[in-house]
Each structure stands twice: as structure tokens, then as C-alpha cells.
Amino acid sequence: MLNTLVRRFAQMAFVMFGISVLVFLIFFATPGVDPAARLAGRNASPEVLAAVRASFGLDQPLPIQYLMMMKKMFITQDLTSFVNRGQMIVPELVQAAPVTISLVVGSALLWVGLSIPIGMLAAAFKDRFLDRVLMGLVIVGISPPVFWLGEITNLITQSRYHDTWLFSWVPPLGYIPFSEDPWGWFKCLVLPCANVAVLYIGIYARLLRSNIIEANQQDFIRTARAKGLSEWQILFRHSLRTSLITFATLFGLDFGFLVGGGVLLTEVVFGLPGIGKLTYESLRVLDLPTIMGTVLWGAFFVVASNAIIDSLYAFIDPRARHAS
Amino acid sequence: MPPDVSMATVPPLLEVTDLRVAFHTERGILQAVDGVSFRVEAEEIVGVVGESGSGKSVCLMAVLGLISGPYTHIEGSVRLMGRELVGLPNRELRKIRGRDMAVIFQDPMTAMTPVYTVGQQIVEQIRVHQPLSRKAAKARAIDLLDAVGIGAPAKAADRYPHELSGGMRQRAMIAMALSCNPRLLLADEPTTALDVTVQAQILDLILRLRSEFKSAVILITHDMGVIAEAADQVMVMYAGRVVERGSKNQLFANPLHPYTWGLLASIPPLDGERVHRLPSIGGLPPSLLDLPAGCAFSPRCRDVSARCQGERPVLDRHGDHARACFLPLESVAAQRRAGLAASLQPAEAFSE
Amino acid sequence: MADTAAGLTVSPVVARPALPARGPWATAMAILLQNRAAMSALFVLLCIIAACLAAPLYAHQIAHVDAFQSNVDGEIDIDGTTVAVLEPNTEGLGLGVTPIGPTGRFATYWLGADSQGRDVFARLLYGGRNSLMIAGIATVICLSMGVLVGITAGFFGGLIDTGLSRLLDILWAFPVFLLAISLSVVLIHGVQLGPLSFDSGSLVLPILIISCVYIPYVARPVRAQVLTLKHSDFVLAAIGIGVPSARILWRDILPNVMTTAVVFIPLMMVMNIGLESALSYLSVGVQAPDASWGTIIEDGQGLLYSRPWVALAPGIAIALTVLCLNILGDGVRDAFDPRSQVRPG
């Protein structure tokens, strides 16, 4: 037990290390590109360029540069943005986190809450009218780009129909912290969460449907019928339960990805100052230190969620518990 | 076709009359079960033997009402304790399944849901049919596990199917099937997936089911050894049809159908002269889409005549021993010996 | 046969049409051709591709516009009246200009103008050409590389496998989107690799970036499949008789992997179109003066409330293309699924 935990942790550490090296290489060592100019941002003056070179040790061999960057990032925590007048990056990240987390948790509740019934109904009524309608809606829902969908939502709710009773409650684009106004916080998140959820409801409903259909072909479903269970009992207790294993695994991975900044586009479109928006802002001005920070944060969450899912897998799938 | 009814006055536990199951496929109609009739008395063990494709499992599924769908066609009569099951709506069948009739499947590993413990699955079956509390049901489940010979039943109940050995898994399945005291148990090759030593134990258990639990058993197998061990009555199936039917003693002492001869002859003998080459039935199992007009076994039969190829034999009854064959009864014994001798020699291939 | 235990409680798998035995490709093709939804989707897709390829034809012969030239002072002729392409604002404070909206005339600024006075519909077609081309080429590269890496790691095992797998793990853990953005940002001003140099406007950069980030997505399942195949009985038997590795690869492993790869094609196209449009929207994908559907959406952002069609049209185009690809993708997947059913006619 302890052995596997240690092994898993070591693996996670290795991957994080690998990612940090990769990030470093991308920003510092891409052939044909000058790192100092990247770091200092566009149109940097020669003094700034020289300062950057010194601070990051760009004249030193690559491994030293890597260590210096890591030190600035984690130990001294004084990684500052050259473009944003000395703004410290780590605190900025910490401040943006609750926004992203609120958005992702809200979306997750919506998408899990809706995709399970939709997937189940579609599987239960396979190839009949309800199934076709649901799957048709779903496949349309996953087609538009998420940022475009957000723009259209804004068009409708902020501009065209804003004055109608339907959407007059929609606050202007932006974030209202929970501590400031809980109801406002809720209102400002409803549409962005729905925006993210549309895509994921589609993906997960389709996934669940196909898993349930596959589970229904298994022998144990036949046994359940032979025991005298009704079709709905079989669906809920046997097909669904077995299908939820994959569902939960993928959910964990996607959740980790989104919290790490995968909701970037939605945050931008709805003006929510989360990690994703921070990444975007730093992109626009080519503020490399901030980009580095946000990318590492994102990668960390993906790796962490992978590790958590791996550990929990034995919990959700009894077959994995006693791997000999 | 007149129903094949015996003279007994007590209605049998299960009476199947002229059961037909057809599947409509793109390549034609597949008659998986073609006019099968048999009966099972209370506390009787009926063995159904035949090779793969003979229709034995389809027959079992049809009795349970587990075959359905737009491309399936079921005809005939299946009466359980006098009640007709064919055509009964699923709502009613559900009450019967698991309570009056229960199934033991071939592979207990895949037949049980992997994410629930064995105890949970037994409890589920109990509570579907009986208004017991969870605690009471669990206690009963543990009793059942004990009754089928699982040591430390309380612990076993909390185990997942994959955590048990093959033999214990099958015992657990049997326990689950017995949980509502069904009058009839249907066992679909219950020992095939098990080791030989465990097979013997499970067969013992099945025999005990009859005496202790008062259940009748329909035992499907392709293994004549299992039949010899456990069955009272035997039914031999081929290509969806019954070719011979009788008591075990009758069948082993005086088998009347060439297919049965082949099945019996292919059992390796444990005593007597050492056989250098095991006799086998020449040819291949038939494709159900492409059966000959007359007797289904005719392409593989040594004693085939022109009549066999053109006309389909009906099940003839001679007392309690029935067979579907045109071979004159008098010459049966002789033909069988001749056939056995011939098959022990280096064989020239049969006509197929 | 019908006697086997599994699958008896559901409708039995209906056999395929009674035709002489064919290989998996021919069978899959037959099933796909019977799939009406997939065929309709394919048809629409081909229409979209044709329309986009005809972009120069439309721009030069029909509309007589230059989709890439700024046209701030331009004027067009609508039913005899001369109208400025960028009209001065009359509402609000009366400041600035607003491009004209959809004119309803197919040959003249059908969807209106963007903030630079350019014909939106013409740009839509050119943009589509770029988006589809980028996604298509990226799909080809990504699948080839992914299959190559997957087979190498899976078949040869040992150190090669360990090394490649670790590398794939790291790449895989890097959120795809962030990786793409990072690479795009770094390479945005062009790159110089010895004799090769790519300018910032070159479309090669987005293509390479998009194809690279999805390589682990393909390589991992391919590797898993190769591993399963390697341990399957028929391959073990082949090795046992002494068939050389190259032949096993060619005859046993590759055909199976190819079917997986084919099923991946529509899926990869969807993901690539999505990624490209997102990157272009964020201004790190296709660069001006080139257009893609993503860049046009970004152009239309500023005009969203006044002239929504600039942003609406490319989004609808993407949605429609992706929808067709998804439907087609489902069809392709079903066609190769050994359990897929064909209804009796």
C-alpha cells in the first residue's frame, strides 16, 4: 500500500519536473528565438533587455538558467512581470484561483447533473424517438466553438434581449465575489457555467450512453434479468453503476484540466478574472513570466488530478483493488 | 404435430410442448429450437446434452422468457406448474423468474456484477421477491452460502466476485439461485468453466439440491460424464431437435440413436482395452441456416438411408424411451457395435 | 452460433447482408454507405469544402473584391445607389463609423463589411480554406506521427518504449491548449532553424504546433493496441513459427492499427478545427493578413452588438463543419465496430 503511494508520488514528481523542464525549454531554449526579447515583452528598451539578461542569467549555461527560474518561481516567489510594472506573479495566481474554481465547480454540477439523466434515457430508449432527439440535440451542442457560443450568449443576454424579463437579471460582464454579494456572485456565474456545461453535457451524455449500451451486452445483465429485476432496476443498479466507473475517471481528469485554466476562453468572453483570463491577458502583451506561472499551475492541476484519479480508481472499481 | 404427453396424472412441474424458437437474420431464418418437447417432474434432474449449436441454451432461455426482440419468433407451450409462460407479459414473468425458476449460468465470473459483493447480489434477489429487511436478507444470504458449502460464509458474503475462486463463485451463484426456494433450477453448463476436481464438488452440490432443497434441475451439458453422474432423465439434442429421450439407465444401457452412440463412444474408457485413437463423430456440426431436408444428422450418420435424407424422423416412443430415427429397432444393437468397431480403426473420412 | 450464451437477452446481432466474404475495409465501406446520416453529413461537408476552395472564384469573378485589402474608404453600388462601406454613425454620440450590415445581395457584400471595410463573406470563404487546410494537414501529420510513435513504442518495447512513454506522459500531462498557446507565443515572430526559416505569417507554424500537441492523443491508444496485439494468440503463434518481425508488423499489426487510425480521422479534424479557431481567436494562431474562421470571429468581437453577422457567420460555419464531422465520425466508428448492426431491409 505504502509502496504504491510512494511510487505514484515519485511518478507525479517526475512528470512535474518534466513539465517544468519542457516549459523552460519552450520559453528559454526554442531554437531560432531570442529569450530575452520574449521575456521583456514587445518593444523593450535596451536597459530592460540587459536587466532581463542579468536577472535570468541568460548568458549562463541552460541548466543554471533553469535552476534560477525555478528558484524565482517557487522559493523566493519573486517572479515578477517585466511588462506589468513589477507585479508579483504567485499572489496574482492565488487571487485569480477562486474565480476559476467557482466557475468550474458550477459547470461541473450542471454537466454531471444533466448528462447522467440524458445519457441514461438515451440508452434506455435506444434507437427510439427519445434517443434520437436527445442525441441530436447533444451532437449539435458539442459542435460550436465554446468561445463563440459565449459571444452569442452575450449578444442575446447583454444586448439584444437584455431588456426583456428573460435576461434583465443578467449582470454586466465581470465577476462579483461571493463575499461581496452572494446573489450577485450566483447571477454572474449562471451563464458562464451554462456555457461550459453545454459542451461537456454533450460529451458525457454520449459517453454514458455508449457505456451503458455496452454494459447491457454483458452476461451479468442477463443474470439480473433472470433474477426477476425490472428493466429500470437493472438500468440503475447494474448498467449505470458499472458505466459510472469510466464516467468518474474522465470527469476527474476533465475537472483537473478545467481548474488548471482550461476555462480560459469562457473567462475571457464573460470577463471573469480567473486563471484563464490571466493567461490570456499575459498572452496579449507577451508577458512571459506570467504565462510561465499560469502554465505551470495548469499543468500541476492536470498531473494532480491524474494522480488522484489513479489512487481513487481502486475505490470506485472493486476489480482494481486487489491487483495481484 | 401431436403433443408428446405421458400417461402420468399428476401435472408435471415443467411441461414443454413443441417449443420452437426462430431468429430472423439477413441470411434467412435460423431455427434454433425446432419442436422440442419434454417434461420435468418435481425433484427430478433432467440432463440436456448436445454439442455447441444444438439449441440447448436457447431452449433454456426460451423457457425463462429471456429471448425477445423484433427478430425472434417463439411458438409452442411452456407450462410451469400448469401455468402457460409463452406469451406472458414481462411483468408477470418477472415475478416467476428468480422465485419459481432460477438460473445458474456457465461462467460465474462474468455472470455476476463485478461492482457488488456476492452478498449484496444475493440480498438483491431475495428482496425483489420477498419483503425482508436488509439485515434479515443478509442473514439469509449467509445461511445460503453456508448451505452450499462455502466456508466462512459471513466473510465470503462481503467479497467481490473476482475475489473468490472459481468453485466458490459457482457455489455463490447457486446460493443466489436458491435464495427464494425455486421449484425449478436451470443450470447452463454449470461445471464447464471449472477444474475437474471442483466439477465433482459442484455436481455433488447439485445432487444435494434435489434432496435438501427439493428443487428439480434442468442440467445442460455437453459432457456425458456429467450426465452419468447427476441426471435422472436425459434428453439428447441435435440441431435444435430432440433425437433421443429417456432415463439415464435406458440411455446408457441401450442408446437408440446414432448420435448418442457417437457421444457415448467418445468418452475415454477408464478400464478395458486401451484405445489408441478415440472415436469421434465425423463431419462438422451443421449450420442451422442450411439444414438437410430430412434428418438433421444424416450427413454424419454411418447408417444413413435414402429415407433419412428425404423425410424427417418423428420422436417415436417406446415406453419411456423415445428416439427420432428410422433405423429399425431390431438392428440397433448390431449397428451400434459395428459402428463402434469401425470407428476404432484408422478411419477413412466420412462423406463430408 | 445462436446457442452461445452471451447476447441472448437482447436482439441477436443481425448478420451482415448476404454477400461474399470481404475484408474489413470493404465491409466497413458498405456499412458506411448505408448510413444515411453519415452520407448526408459527408455531402454537406464536401459542399463546404467546395465553397471554400472556390473563394478566389467568388472574390474575383462574382463580388470583385479583395478580401485582404483594407477598404476603409470604399464604396459599393446597391441597386443604383452608391453606399459607403463604412458608414458614419448616426446614433448615440454620432462618433466613428460602422460597417454596413448584410446587404442581401449575393454578389455585393452579402454579409456586410468588417471594421476594415472588407467583404465578410469573401473573407469567410478564404478563412474557411485556411481553417480546413490547416486542420486537414495537421490531421495527416498528427496521425502519421502518432501511429509511428505508438507502433515503435508498443512493438519494440524495452528502453525505447520506456523512453517514449515517459515523454508521452509529460506531453500528455501538459494541458493541450496551454501547450499550443505556449508554443504559439514563442514562435509568434517567426523561427529560424538553420537553413529553414518560417516567418510569423507562415501557416506552417500553426499546422506544426497543432499537429504536435495532439500526437500523444493518438500515440497512446495506438501503443496500447499494439501491445494487446503483440500478446494476442495469433501474433504469438506467428513469432513461434519464426515469422520475421517486419512481416508481423506489416501483415498483422499495421492493418489493425490502420482501422483505428481511420476512425480517428474525423475526430482529429474536429479537434484541430477547434484548436485552430481558438488559437486564432486569441491572436496566436493564424496571423494577419491571412484569415481563418477564428480570426474573423475575433474581428467581429468589437462589432458584436452592432454588426453581429461578422462574428456569427464564421461561428456557424465552424459549428456546421464540426457537426458534419461528428456525424460522419460516428458513422465511421460504427462501420468498423465488429458488433455494428445492419437492419434487415
Side-chain angles (χ1 to χ4, degrees), chain A residues 32 148 151 160 206 222 283, chain C residues 5 185 192 281 301 305 311 330:
Chain A
W148 180 80
E151 299 268 18
R160 289 289 182 273
R206 273 156 65 94
R222 187 183 52 171
L283 260 181
Chain C
V185 163
Q192 191 116 15
Y281 174 75
Q301 242 191 319
Y305 297 162
D330 280 352

Side-chain angles (χ1 to χ4, degrees), chain A residues 7 29 42 50-51 117 139 209 295 321:
Chain A
R7 223 171 19 132
R42 285 190 214 189
I139 208 174
R209 176 186 179 274
V295 166
R321 274 183 214 177

Side-chain angles (χ1 to χ4, degrees), chain A residues 222-296:
Chain A
R222 187 183 52 171
T223 309
R225 282 211 183 91
K227 293 203 300 200
L229 292 170
S230 75
E231 290 302 316
W232 284 107
Q233 282 171 322
I234 295 176
L235 183 65
F236 268 99
R237 289 197 220 161
H238 294 264
S239 310
L240 183 62
R241 176 70 180 81
T242 345
S243 308
L244 280 180
I245 296 174
T246 319
F247 187 97
T249 311
L250 289 173
F251 172 77
L253 296 176
D254 277 332
F255 189 84
F257 165 69
L258 288 175
V259 170
V263 277
L264 178 151
L265 292 162
T266 308
E267 282 178 5
V268 165
V269 168
F270 287 95
L272 299 167
I275 310 269
K277 185 137 191 293
L278 188 60
T279 316
Y280 173 64
E281 294 297 327
S282 51
L283 260 181
R284 275 211 346 225
V285 294
L286 282 178
D287 182 1
L288 273 186
T290 316
I291 299 178
M292 275 196 289
T294 51
V295 166
L296 278 175

Side-chain angles (χ1 to χ4, degrees), chain A residues 14 18 22 26-27 30-32 38 127 139 143 148 151-152 155 158 160 206 222 225 257 280 283 286 295 302, chain C residues 5 9 166 170 173-175 181 185-186 191-193 281-282 301 304-305 308 311-312 315-316 319 323 330 343:
Chain A
F14 171 75
L22 188 61
I26 289 177
F27 289 109
T30 311
R38 293 282 152 275
D127 291 337
I139 208 174
S143 298
W148 180 80
E151 299 268 18
I152 303 303
L155 176 65
Q158 299 278 347
R160 289 289 182 273
R206 273 156 65 94
R222 187 183 52 171
R225 282 211 183 91
F257 165 69
Y280 173 64
L283 260 181
L286 282 178
V295 166
V302 169
Chain C
T9 50
R166 292 290 139 254
I170 295 177
F174 210 132
I181 294 182
V185 163
V186 168
V191 104
Q192 191 116 15
L193 273 166
Y281 174 75
L282 294 174
Q301 242 191 319
L304 188 62
Y305 297 162
L312 268 178
I316 294 176
L323 179 65
D330 280 352
R343 304 210 172 280

Side-chain angles (χ1 to χ4, degrees), chain A residues 147-148 151-152 155 160, chain C residues 85-86 98-102 109-121 123-124 281 292-318:
Chain A
F147 58 91
W148 180 80
E151 299 268 18
I152 303 303
L155 176 65
R160 289 289 182 273
Chain C
V85 159
L86 291 175
T98 307
I100 58 169
Y109 279 76
W110 190 36
L111 290 174
D114 66 5
S115 56
Q116 303 239 325
R118 299 173 292 199
D119 183 342
V120 171
F121 186 63
R123 277 178 76 75
L124 188 71
Y281 174 75
S292 87
W293 281 333
T295 62
I296 304 178
I297 297 182
E298 206 248 333
D299 288 342
Q301 242 191 319
L303 293 165
L304 188 62
Y305 297 162
S306 52
R307 295 279 175 252
W309 273 102
V310 184
L312 268 178
I316 294 176
I318 297 178

Side-chain angles (χ1 to χ4, degrees), chain B residues 282-284 297-301 309 349-352:
Chain B
L284 294 166
F297 189 63
S298 50
R300 301 168 77 183
C301 183
Q309 287 168 330
F350 278 114
S351 49
E352 281 327 72

